[in-house]
Amino acid sequence: MLIDTLKYISQLLPVLASVFFILSLRGLSSAATSRKGNIFGMLGISISILVPLCYCFCVLFLRQIIPNNINDFYGSLFFGLTIAALSFGGGIGYDIAKKINMTALPQLVAAFHSLVGLSAVFIACAIFSAPNLFALFNTSDQPIPLSNAIEMAIGAAIGAITFTGSIVAFGKLQGFISGKPLKYKGQHKLNFLVALLIIISSIIFVNKQTAILFAIIIFASFALGYLLIMPIGGADMPVIVSMLNSYSGWAAAGIGFTLDNNVLIIVGALVGTSGAILSNIMCKGMNRSLKNVILGGMGVETSLTNDSGNIQRNVKICSPEDAAFIIKNAESIILIPGYGMAVSQAQHAIKELSELLKNEKISIKYAIHPVAGRMPGHMNVLLAEANIPYEDAFEMDEINHEFGSCDVAIVIGANDITNPAAKTDPASPIYGMPVLEVERAKTVLFIKRSLGSGYAGVDNPLFYQGNTMMVLGDAKKVVEGLIKALKEN
Amino acid sequence: MFAIETLIIFILSCFVGYYVVLKVTPALHAPLMAVTNAISSVIIVVAIDAAAISSLRLESSVVATSCFGVVAVFLTAINIVGGFMLTHRMLLMFSKKKKDNGESKC
């Protein structure tokens, strides 16, 4: 009777966990409910972890109090190891997340994705090494059933691709792998061959389940993850990071299918679609298809001849003092942050500047382009970190019509997302990309490190526009210069 | 063998995910990535099965399985705690301002 009740509860709890996971994503629909959402997520995962741990503990405990001949050495040992791994891993995760600087957020998220991928691989290995323990069948000399074997191969392959892909993305974001796209001849052919190898070995694997074939699937997938992400430029990372997020979900779903575990399937589907939606939003923000991003293409700096042609055109360069004068006489200002702000960690200086201007009764708004920065929502997090009110940040569609009536638009470390050529010049590589209509502001202040082109290697006509002033230098230093000049006046 | 129910659950969950995530405000996309990362580590339940429960079966042949499981538990534990902690930190930044605003309005 008691056993039956317990069994019933242990089947019900995962249902509850699934509901919590859905609620945790639902909570993010507004900042007000988001923290509650996060707590739902934690509850969901705690339930999921506690159910098998309690089961294991109860079995070990019962075997202790009921006299028997069972040697529980392995059981106790691995129960202890599991708890140790859980607490040790948890401690490391806590430490990393607590200490990480918010500007390093994109690479941390990429690193976390790689962990999901790698653990999916280890779990697939565990299932493969002892399928009977996972109730895939009863006697150990039977092969794994066809459908479970397919699902296992898919889960392992996606996990492995996620792992190496995320490691490369991490390296590119962290800067120890060059952010420039790596291209070589026959790249697509090689990728195709590796993918073919994975598919063929998976097909053979389903019929003939040998460890070698399983290893081939995993190692070929490791190679494919590396080969797929290596050619992609640093600035396409918002798409890649969300795509890998999606993959980590599909990997979990693959494991769930293998074991007919509903919670894993539900969570995998939630995470997978979430990542897919984010990739889609990012792709739209760049007016590129996912295929186009994955197959590479952009991110190559234009040749020198193009640059020297630009320099002859008229660029107005001004000092922070001049810029401060212009700002002071404005009534409404829109700030456009970009990756440059993240690199120089200018968000706190920007906050100080905006406080200063607000005291002068100048209206300050922030225009956030969907692909500004290196991951979805990157700019919003940095602004939030600097305590800039959430209500002051506007999405592209909300604010684009306001540029016409705004006195000064200050572009801080952004370039391509403001390029009017995307609307007017069909020959431009970024033609069709939705951009912030900065050029309609009365004055445009461009805070930029140099006059070079952005990641897309596209010249920005905005630099040469009559009402544009360039302030060259590191975003943080320039903003600090502006603050100093404003205070002196 | 292949259970059609799991496929139905999968497809319905994709729809739920689609409609829920569409509602997420773009400003919170970064926390969304962090929290989805944390919850995708729910595969830890299989890792625990492999690590701890499989060794209850009293077969010495499961040592390899348990070792794989322990490694997977370790990796996913980093992810779970790290992911939720990171989300918590980010969300705290977003709601902190709200409080500040409220105070300044008072």
Side-chain angles (χ1 to χ4, degrees):
Chain A
M1 188 59 202
L2 178 71
I3 300 288
D4 280 346
T5 320
L6 281 178
K7 213 172 181 181
Y8 190 60
I9 291 172
S10 74
Q11 280 168 345
L12 268 184
L13 284 174
V15 180
L16 191 65
S18 310
V19 173
F20 282 158
F21 290 134
I22 295 170
L23 286 176
S24 80
L25 297 188
R26 182 75 186 84
L28 288 171
S29 55
S30 85
T33 55
S34 59
R35 284 173 66 195
K36 213 188 268 169
N38 198 31
I39 291 169
F40 276 128
M42 290 186 215
L43 277 176
I45 213 115
S46 310
I47 292 172
S48 310
I49 294 175
L50 285 175
V51 169
L53 278 184
C54 288
Y55 170 77
C56 194
F57 180 78
C58 290
V59 171
L60 286 171
F61 183 71
L62 286 175
R63 284 186 190 167
Q64 290 301 315
I65 54 170
I66 301 166
N68 58 36
N69 299 323
I70 299 171
N71 178 358
D72 249 337
F73 173 69
Y74 281 122
S76 315
L77 174 71
F78 278 107
F79 182 69
L81 280 177
T82 307
I83 300 286
L86 200 60
S87 10
F88 193 52
I92 292 177
Y94 182 84
D95 209 47
I96 296 173
K98 188 100 193 168
K99 285 187 184 150
I100 196 83
N101 194 324
M102 276 300 155
T103 38
L105 189 64
Q107 48 267 51
L108 180 65
V109 169
F112 278 161
H113 289 158
S114 77
L115 293 179
V116 181
L118 189 60
S119 39
V121 171
F122 274 108
I123 288 169
C125 289
I127 299 172
F128 178 72
S129 66
N132 56 327
L133 295 179
F134 293 91
L136 290 185
F137 50 81
N138 295 323
T139 55
S140 54
D141 50 351
Q142 260 177 296
I144 301 170
L146 186 77
S147 59
N148 299 81
I150 299 171
E151 289 149 5
M152 194 167 81
I154 294 173
I158 298 176
I161 292 172
T162 311
F163 172 61
T164 45
S166 302
I167 293 284
V168 175
F170 170 76
K172 289 196 176 219
L173 291 164
Q174 183 73 22
F176 64 77
I177 298 177
S178 163
K180 278 186 184 162
L182 177 92
K183 285 185 167 182
Y184 47 90
K185 241 184 149 185
Q187 168 190 322
H188 300 321
K189 271 185 198 155
L190 180 65
N191 290 353
F192 177 73
L193 285 178
V194 177
L196 202 66
L197 176 67
I198 296 170
I199 293 169
I200 292 174
S201 39
S202 304
I203 292 170
I204 306 173
F205 173 75
V206 170
N207 297 311
K208 196 167 170 277
Q209 292 155 7
T210 62
I212 293 171
L213 276 170
F214 194 60
I216 291 175
I217 295 172
I218 288 172
F219 282 98
S221 305
F222 278 149
L224 186 64
Y226 175 84
L227 292 170
L228 274 178
I229 309 300
M230 241 359 230
I232 296 173
D236 283 338
M237 282 304 150
V239 181
I240 297 308
V241 172
S242 359
M243 196 182 81
L244 291 166
N245 184 22
S246 175
Y247 281 6
S248 64
W250 303 133
I255 301 289
F257 271 115
T258 315
L259 301 176
D260 290 338
N261 183 323
N262 291 337
V263 183
L264 263 59
I265 293 173
I266 293 169
V267 168
L270 289 178
V271 176
T273 42
S274 160
I277 290 172
L278 289 180
S279 322
N280 188 32
I281 293 172
M282 296 297 111
C283 282
K284 273 191 192 152
M286 297 201 282
N287 190 38
R288 297 176 67 189
S289 67
L290 191 59
K291 188 180 143 221
N292 181 285
V293 174
I294 294 167
L295 296 183
M298 250 203 263
V300 188
E301 292 283 323
T302 39
S303 61
L304 265 175
T305 49
N306 196 357
D307 278 8
S308 58
N310 303 336
I311 287 162
Q312 282 158 16
R313 283 198 266 168
N314 196 17
V315 176
K316 267 186 262 170
I317 294 176
C318 70
S319 65
E321 287 76 22
D322 301 334
F325 180 74
I326 296 168
I327 292 175
K328 214 170 175 165
N329 290 313
E331 272 175 17
S332 61
I333 295 178
I334 299 179
L335 285 133
I336 300 98
Y339 185 54
M341 178 188 87
V343 172
S344 72
Q345 306 206 20
Q347 63 271 30
H348 298 284
I350 290 172
K351 159 78 175 170
E352 202 188 333
L353 176 70
S354 68
E355 287 291 300
L356 210 62
L357 295 174
K358 272 187 180 169
N359 289 342
E360 306 271 329
K361 301 267 181 294
I362 300 172
S363 128
I364 300 274
K365 283 176 179 171
Y366 298 84
I368 314 284
H369 192 278
V371 294
R374 287 290 187 261
M375 72 179 280
H378 193 182
M379 293 297 120
N380 299 87
V381 170
L382 294 180
L383 293 182
E385 189 200 4
N387 251 339
I388 290 168
Y390 166 71
E391 299 78 23
D392 286 0
F394 294 89
E395 285 168 59
M396 180 165 62
D397 298 334
E398 293 173 333
I399 201 157
N400 249 348
H401 64 275
E402 286 188 34
F403 279 108
S405 56
C406 125
D407 295 320
V408 183
I410 309 177
V411 183
I412 304 164
N415 185 1
D416 293 328
I417 57 170
T418 63
N419 194 336
K423 284 178 296 179
T424 54
D425 179 10
S428 170
I430 58 167
Y431 181 67
M433 171 172 151
V435 287
L436 291 163
E437 294 166 359
V438 175
E439 76 281 0
R440 289 166 51 212
K442 290 196 187 85
T443 310
V444 180
L445 276 176
F446 237 105
I447 301 176
K448 210 170 170 303
R449 222 180 269 260
S450 70
L451 284 174
S453 48
Y455 83 85
V458 187
D459 188 29
N460 194 342
L462 207 52
F463 299 167
Y464 318 110
Q465 205 174 276
N467 59 352
T468 303
M469 315 271 269
M470 305 288 296
V471 191
L472 296 183
D474 173 77
K476 191 177 177 187
K477 291 208 179 98
V478 171
V479 175
E480 281 167 352
L482 282 175
I483 295 168
K484 203 171 147 235
L486 282 171
K487 279 185 177 161
E488 276 167 8
N489 283 329
Chain B
M1 281 308 279
F2 189 76
I4 198 77
E5 291 86 4
T6 55
L7 192 64
I8 293 170
I9 289 172
F10 175 72
I11 291 170
L12 292 181
S13 308
C14 284
F15 275 98
V16 172
Y18 180 79
Y19 287 109
V20 169
V21 174
L22 268 192
K23 285 249 165 68
V24 174
T25 69
L28 295 177
H29 277 167
L32 173 69
M33 295 200 83
V35 83
T36 51
N37 179 66
I39 66 171
S40 66
S41 298
V42 73
I43 51 174
I44 196 170
V45 295
V46 186
I48 294 174
D49 274 356
I53 296 182
S54 67
S55 52
L56 296 177
R57 307 285 176 99
L58 312 167
E59 292 171 42
S60 55
S61 64
V62 300
V63 172
T65 312
S66 298
C67 290
F68 283 132
V70 170
V71 177
V73 168
F74 173 68
L75 295 173
T76 41
I78 298 179
N79 228 332
I80 291 170
V81 180
F84 281 122
M85 187 61 209
L86 191 62
T87 315
H88 176 74
R89 258 186 74 190
M90 278 192 262
L91 295 178
L92 212 58
M93 294 186 319
F94 279 101
S95 49
K96 192 168 57 182
K97 273 153 295 132
K98 277 219 135 164
K99 249 184 248 162
D100 287 358
N101 271 11
E103 281 162 13
S104 62
K105 269 171 201 160
C106 286

